[in-house]
Amino acid sequence: RYLAGVIEKQVLAFWSQAQVQPAQDYNIFNPSGFSTGARARLARSPIFPLKSYREFGMDPLSAITSVFTKLAKDGEGAAMQILLRPSRRKIKKAGQKTMYLIEKGAKPEELVSGVKVWDIVKGEHTVGYRTKEQKQGQPLYHASNVMTPTQQDAVKFISEKISQPLFDVNLRILASAPNKPRAEQILDELQAAFSQFNTTILNQLKFRKLSGRALKRLFYRFSFRVFNEKEQMTLSSGELAGMFHFPSPHLLTPHIKWLKTKQAPPPPNL
């Protein structure tokens, strides 16, 4: 709460026509129905990025907000919660070494599925590291002056990610409905909306649907905005901007509450 004033000033600095005002807390849960939820994690090392907002030809937020427009006015609810803080993880050095390996001939898919990136940082694997299947003295990667388009894209996207501000992130999705099949359907639709951020070669979002005590803990952390260290992902500002940003006039999703008139202070001579 102590940052509320700072954030308000930042919002108004970029969107002078916006209006920031306190809002009441919300409750998505149906007390007599069924509720479910899932938490997200990265499938691979955080060095390898998801799709950023620059790679989309349309607003990726529309796929997410469209799920909410299909909810019944009474008895159904859903939420996407993003908690973030400046990252304490040092992945820039690992990113630079990963780009170096790719520039020397490594295929991104080999680094993703094979070498542990944190071993690269420690120096346990270098450009000439060998696999068990290979004979001694036979390097896996050879220096090459020409990179394939896939390698060029991998270097470009990794470079973009590590050059941007990085954040530790908790991403949760929840759904509630009068019955279990409908709640799970809403959750599946929300999960599917995030598949647009996945890349075949680099990284993907994987959601884990929870049950039992783990689900109750998820509801508690969701309700009180509790950051969980075990759930954290490291994402760049570009990756986060695709998942959430203030809607633009080009977002055609219905039921968004647009500001049509802005409150102004009374004249001083009133």
Side-chain angles (χ1 to χ4, degrees):
R1 292 183 179 180
Y2 71 93
L3 291 174
V6 176
I7 294 174
E8 179 179 356
K9 292 177 181 178
Q10 290 289 326
V11 171
L12 295 177
F14 286 98
W15 294 276
S16 58
Q17 299 302 315
Q19 181 173 314
V20 181
Q21 59 188 31
Q24 292 184 347
D25 202 358
Y26 52 87
N27 181 12
I28 69 162
F29 299 107
N30 184 333
S32 59
F34 181 85
S35 299
T36 185
R39 63 188 186 194
R41 64 175 178 83
L42 291 175
R44 296 160 180 166
S45 165
I47 292 170
F48 301 103
L50 302 167
K51 282 186 180 178
S52 73
Y53 69 95
R54 294 188 181 92
E55 300 175 62
F56 289 91
M58 57 176 291
D59 191 343
L61 189 61
S62 62
I64 299 173
T65 54
S66 64
V67 178
F68 293 90
T69 64
K70 301 174 185 177
L71 299 176
K73 187 175 182 181
D74 298 316
E76 292 184 359
M80 170 189 74
Q81 185 181 75
I82 300 176
L83 301 180
L84 57 90
R85 68 184 185 190
S87 180
R88 301 171 184 174
R89 305 180 71 182
K90 298 179 180 180
I91 70 169
K92 292 189 177 182
K93 184 178 178 181
Q96 291 169 349
K97 288 195 173 184
T98 302
M99 290 189 294
Y100 176 76
L101 288 176
I102 296 173
E103 289 169 349
K104 291 298 183 181
K107 295 180 180 179
E109 58 269 26
E110 291 175 341
L111 293 177
V112 163
S113 59
V115 180
K116 294 181 179 179
V117 176
W118 301 115
D119 290 341
I120 297 175
V121 179
K122 296 174 184 177
E124 296 178 11
H125 291 289
T126 60
V127 177
Y129 81 86
R130 302 166 180 82
T131 61
K132 293 181 180 179
E133 292 77 12
Q134 290 179 309
K135 296 180 180 180
Q136 290 292 330
Q138 190 176 14
L140 180 60
Y141 302 135
H142 300 276
S144 174
N145 294 326
V146 180
M147 290 192 295
T148 65
T150 301
Q151 290 172 319
Q152 292 174 0
D153 288 343
V155 170
K156 173 186 174 183
F157 295 138
I158 294 173
S159 176
E160 284 182 357
K161 176 165 185 173
I162 65 176
S163 65
Q164 295 173 350
L166 299 175
F167 298 89
D168 295 331
V169 178
N170 283 177
L171 173 59
R172 303 160 181 155
I173 53 175
L174 293 91
S176 186
N179 54 70
K180 181 177 179 180
R182 176 55 181 158
E184 291 185 340
Q185 179 187 359
I186 296 171
L187 190 72
D188 290 341
E189 290 176 356
L190 263 178
Q191 181 175 330
F194 281 91
S195 63
Q196 62 183 324
F197 300 105
N198 297 341
T199 64
T200 306
I201 299 297
L202 296 176
N203 222 332
Q204 296 94 37
L205 280 172
K206 299 292 184 181
F207 284 91
R208 181 186 175 190
K209 192 179 295 184
L210 303 178
S211 60
R213 292 183 179 179
L215 183 60
K216 291 181 180 179
R217 287 194 293 267
L218 178 70
F219 292 158
Y220 174 84
R221 290 168 180 152
F222 165 80
S223 300
F224 293 96
R225 282 79 167 175
V226 177
F227 192 93
N228 186 6
E229 300 283 347
K230 295 181 180 179
E231 295 178 31
Q232 71 176 6
M233 308 178 290
T234 303
L235 300 179
S236 68
S237 57
E239 292 170 297
L240 286 168
M243 298 179 189
F244 176 79
H245 52 269
F246 292 119
S248 68
H250 303 289
L251 185 65
L252 301 179
T253 306
H255 308 309
I256 291 180
K257 294 183 179 180
W258 297 99
L259 180 65
K260 297 181 179 179
T261 58
K262 184 178 179 181
Q263 293 181 354
N269 59 352
L270 183 63

